[in-house]
Amino acid sequence: MSAGLIIDPDLVQAIDDLRFVVGRVELLNQQINQLDEVEGYGRIVAMKTERSDLLDQVRARAEKMAVPPRALMLLVGTANRLRTPRKNQLPSLATVRSHVEIAAAASMRDQEEAEAEAKVARVTARGAAIRAKAGADALAYLDASRS
């Protein structure tokens, strides 16, 4: 064995065993996101059920390996996307690690951006609530002054 290969037999087996499962979950996520919530309701419900069953398979394997399910999905999906086209060989551990680091860093940036957007939305909502209360108070005053 050359240095850098994935040598954890549980991980190698999980990558092979869960190849279809993780790929199907990723495909279902894309399809669900493309469907209209009202028109595609029935299809979304069916996809949600299938997705849940697939995620249960990942969860069961993750428990056996003592790794969080989403982490296992990330490892399996990344390793399978990076397989060599010609011989379908698994990538090196360093290659998988590098891609996971990139994905993790991008997710952290997305999380920070989402938290900033959420804070801006909360501040905007508080301002709108203050203005709405001011409007209600003004109307109450006007109504009271008519009598």
Side-chain angles (χ1 to χ4, degrees):
M1 286 191 167
S2 66
L5 293 179
I6 300 173
I7 57 172
D8 178 353
D10 292 334
L11 180 56
V12 171
Q13 191 64 48
I15 290 169
D16 288 335
D17 292 349
L18 296 175
R19 184 177 193 173
F20 168 77
V21 172
V22 171
R24 183 68 182 149
V25 169
E26 291 170 349
L27 180 63
L28 284 170
N29 288 341
Q30 291 172 359
Q31 290 174 342
I32 288 169
N33 286 335
Q34 293 172 354
L35 287 174
D36 180 80
E37 295 165 10
V38 175
E39 293 175 13
Y41 179 78
R43 289 187 59 208
I44 290 173
V45 170
M47 289 177 174
K48 178 185 169 207
T49 302
E50 180 184 357
R51 184 176 175 272
S52 178
D53 292 343
L54 295 169
L55 291 173
D56 284 343
Q57 291 178 41
V58 173
R59 206 171 292 114
R61 178 61 68 93
E63 284 177 15
K64 289 179 187 175
M65 295 175 64
V67 63
R70 286 194 182 268
L72 182 58
M73 282 188 59
L74 179 60
L75 290 169
V76 170
T78 301
N80 281 317
R81 276 189 295 282
L82 294 172
R83 284 181 183 266
T84 59
R86 182 177 265 176
K87 294 186 179 179
N88 207 26
Q89 294 174 328
L90 286 177
S92 70
L93 181 66
T95 302
V96 173
R97 185 174 182 14
S98 172
H99 279 78
V100 169
E101 284 176 344
I102 291 167
S107 293
M108 288 175 69
R109 285 190 304 275
D110 289 347
Q111 179 187 5
E112 288 174 357
E113 183 178 326
E115 288 174 357
E117 291 294 329
K119 187 171 276 189
V120 167
R122 285 190 301 271
V123 168
T124 302
R126 276 193 293 266
I130 289 169
R131 290 189 303 278
K133 182 169 180 352
D137 291 345
L139 290 173
Y141 178 81
L142 289 175
D143 290 342
S145 67
R146 275 193 297 184
S147 12

